[in-house]
């Protein structure tokens, strides 16, 4: 564990000197020091860090919920649903078409639809924090799209599971989907009407007790969410949404920062451990083609989301590049595909695709003003009024981000 933290820290410090974001460097540390790369092996089995990695994802999404107020949901619910639906239709649809074009099989195409269609909530959150964009106007539709994606994710996994397992029971798939949706609805009702009650429960002047309380609630609800077929991360997000509106919300945001940063680094490090660089050359061309498809679809979706919300070229570029990265959901699908004995090329394809976009996404987000210049309405201007929200390599000034919000 100590070696993992130190390796991530050393690479991140070196990268900051040449203005590289921390996310791909944490992942690179995992690749270099994992079981699939010759040399020093810090962790021989990636599953050894599975619980800590899950905690990192939970804390990243919990923080995201703290920053995403219920007023934002109520004010932009219709636009959020439209932007999220548009994003999913473009990217999932393109992923499905790409999967069929590869000719690996119908089940494989359905897996690839999810891999190409869903952004990485963890990386998106980290990018927004690192670049100081939490308070930007276009961040609300970005977070809204993430929420819609996570709701779709829960239903998609429930529908895909019987297909991959060979089950022919439509009723079982419908029941799983209904159970997941029902739990999501219960969480939404709790976030809407239970804020005061939960606020009184956790209220305390003692920081130690407050940390234990909010951490316990977030992790517990995340675990229960997973049992209901809902991603643990979305459960943590809903808890953050609830606690952010309490009288202790500001203190929680401050206290969770070091926990989120530390365990978030382990999440990305563990992600790197799972990647075998030796498998990547066999699927290089399909991976590059998928990356190109995703780039095009994200630009189209970013422009669409910006127009839905009345934004210009700058925010459109920010939306397009911030949502570009793929990550934890793709890895879940890779695991499901391996268990279902699907095409052996799927695993290295997903690893290569996710690795490239996990690196390219944060880099592109930090340089989104380049894209803004070539988008409609962006030529010769600053891209529509929102700015680029920070330069690549800037440290994540969390207090400044919260103050801006």
């Amino acid at each position: 564990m100590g070696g993992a933290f130190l390796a991530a820290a050393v690479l991140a410090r070196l990268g900051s000197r040449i203005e590289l974001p921390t996310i791909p460097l944490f992942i690179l540390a995992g690749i270099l020091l994992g079981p699939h790369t010759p040399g020093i092996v810090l962790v021989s089995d990636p599953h050894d860090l599975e619980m800590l990695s899950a905690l990192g994802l939970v804390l990243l999404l919990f923080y995201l919920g703290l920053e995403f107020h219920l007023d934002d949901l109520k004010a932009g619910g219709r636009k959020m649903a439209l932007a999220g639906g548009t994003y999913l239709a473009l990217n999932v649809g393109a992923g499905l078409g790409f999967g069929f074009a590869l000719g690996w099989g119908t089940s494989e195409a359905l897996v690839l639809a999810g891999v190409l269609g869903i952004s990485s909530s963890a990386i998106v959150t980290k990018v927004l924090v690192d670049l100081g964009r939490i308070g930007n106007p276009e961040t609300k539709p970005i977070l809204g799209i993430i929420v819609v994606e996570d709701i779709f994710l829960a239903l998609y996994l429930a529908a895909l599971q019987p297909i991959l397992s060979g089950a022919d029971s439509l009723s079982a798939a419908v029941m799983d989907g209904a159970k997941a949706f029902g739990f999501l609805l219960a969480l939404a009702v709790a976030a809407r009407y239970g804020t005061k009650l939960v606020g009184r429960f956790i209220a305390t002047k003692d920081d130690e007790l407050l940390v234990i309380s909010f951490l316990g609630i977030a992790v517990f609800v995340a675990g229960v969410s997973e049992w209901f077929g809902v991603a643990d991360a979305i459960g943590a997000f809903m808890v953050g949404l609830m606690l952010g509106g309490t009288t202790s919300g500001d203190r929680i945001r401050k206290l969770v920062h070091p926990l989120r940063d530390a365990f978030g680094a382990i999440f990305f490090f563990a992600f790197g451990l799972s990647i075998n660089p030796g498998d990547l050359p066999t699927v290089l061309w399909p991976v590059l083609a998928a990356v190109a498809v995703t780039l095009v679809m994200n630009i189209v979706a970013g422009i669409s989301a910006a127009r839905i919300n009345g934004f210009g070229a700058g925010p459109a570029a920010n939306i397009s590049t911030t949502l570009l990265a793929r990550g934890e959901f793709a890895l879940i699908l890779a695991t499901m595909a391996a268990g279902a004995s699907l095409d052996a090329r799927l695993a290295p394809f997903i690893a290569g695709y996710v690795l490239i976009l996990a690196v390219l996404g944060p880099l592109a987000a930090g340089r989104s003003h380049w894209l803004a210049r070539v988008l409609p309405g962006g030529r010769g201007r600053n891209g529509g009024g929102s700015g680029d929200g920070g330069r690549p390599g800037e440290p994540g000034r969390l207090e400044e981000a919260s103050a801006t919000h």
Side-chain angles (χ1 to χ4, degrees):
M1 275 296 301
F5 277 120
L6 286 174
V10 169
L11 278 179
R13 284 174 176 268
L14 292 174
S16 67
R17 296 184 179 182
I18 53 175
E19 296 189 340
L20 285 177
T22 58
I23 295 168
L25 295 169
F26 293 154
I27 295 172
L28 179 61
I31 294 174
L32 294 177
L33 299 172
H36 306 297
T37 305
I40 299 173
V41 177
L42 279 182
V43 184
S44 57
D45 185 357
H47 290 95
D48 289 345
L49 296 182
E50 188 171 12
M51 182 59 71
L52 294 174
S53 173
L55 182 58
L57 179 60
V58 164
L59 289 172
L60 282 167
L61 270 292
F62 174 69
Y63 177 80
L64 189 64
L66 289 171
E67 291 289 352
F68 196 67
H69 291 244
L70 279 171
D71 291 340
D72 299 334
L73 284 173
K74 289 186 288 186
R78 186 174 180 181
K79 290 181 178 179
M80 178 184 78
L82 183 57
T86 301
Y87 186 90
L88 285 173
L90 289 169
N91 285 274
V92 175
L96 184 62
F98 180 83
F100 281 121
L102 282 180
W104 291 356
T106 300
S107 295
E108 287 79 359
L110 290 172
V111 170
L112 289 173
V115 170
L116 270 66
I118 307 293
S119 306
S120 167
S121 300
I123 297 179
V124 168
T125 305
K126 191 73 164 57
V127 166
L128 290 173
V129 172
D130 282 356
L131 296 180
R133 291 180 180 172
I134 291 292
N136 281 18
E138 72 274 9
T139 296
K140 291 181 181 179
I142 289 173
L143 300 184
I145 290 171
I146 288 295
V147 171
V148 173
E149 282 186 326
D150 282 335
I151 294 172
F152 172 80
L153 181 157
L155 301 177
Y156 185 77
L157 283 179
L160 194 60
Q161 183 62 53
I163 295 174
L164 295 184
S165 63
D168 55 1
S169 174
L170 179 62
S171 61
V174 171
M175 284 298 296
D176 287 343
K179 184 174 71 171
F181 184 77
F183 184 70
L184 282 171
L185 186 61
L187 285 178
V189 171
R192 175 67 180 87
Y193 298 105
T195 299
K196 290 184 179 180
L197 179 62
V198 174
R200 285 197 295 268
F201 172 74
I202 67 167
T204 176
K205 295 181 180 180
D206 189 317
D207 284 350
E208 179 185 11
L209 293 179
L210 184 58
V211 169
I212 294 171
S213 298
F214 75 68
L215 196 59
I217 295 172
V219 175
F220 180 76
V221 173
V224 174
S225 298
E226 197 169 48
W227 188 80
F228 274 96
V230 176
D232 51 4
I234 191 61
F237 174 87
M238 297 301 291
V239 173
L241 193 67
M242 189 187 310
L243 297 187
T246 66
T247 55
S248 303
D250 291 336
R251 288 173 59 210
I252 293 173
R253 272 185 283 271
K254 181 179 179 180
L255 291 169
V256 79
H257 286 164
L259 293 169
R260 183 210 62 199
D261 289 342
F263 290 100
I266 292 298
F267 170 80
F268 294 111
F269 180 86
F271 173 41
L273 292 175
S274 66
I275 295 175
N276 186 350
D279 292 338
L280 303 183
T282 61
V283 290
L284 178 61
W285 292 113
V287 166
L288 294 178
V291 168
V293 169
T294 303
L295 283 169
V296 172
M297 288 297 102
N298 267 261
I299 292 173
V300 175
I303 294 172
S304 301
R307 289 184 175 176
I308 289 170
N309 289 274
F311 295 144
N318 284 352
I319 295 170
S320 301
T321 54
T322 302
L323 292 168
L324 183 60
R326 302 296 188 259
E328 60 278 1
F329 179 53
L331 296 181
I332 292 171
L333 284 174
T335 303
M336 291 174 63
S341 300
L342 299 186
D343 195 300
R345 291 170 290 184
L346 266 182
F349 171 89
I350 293 173
Y353 172 77
V354 170
L355 177 60
I356 290 175
L357 288 182
V359 173
L360 182 61
L363 290 173
R367 294 159 177 80
S368 59
H369 53 284
W370 294 355
L371 175 61
R373 293 172 188 167
V374 300
L375 292 182
R379 189 183 298 274
R381 301 191 300 177
N382 65 3
S386 214
D388 60 21
R391 297 181 299 109
E394 283 185 342
R397 295 291 182 250
L398 304 176
E399 293 79 12
E400 291 176 9
S402 295
T404 303
H405 181 82

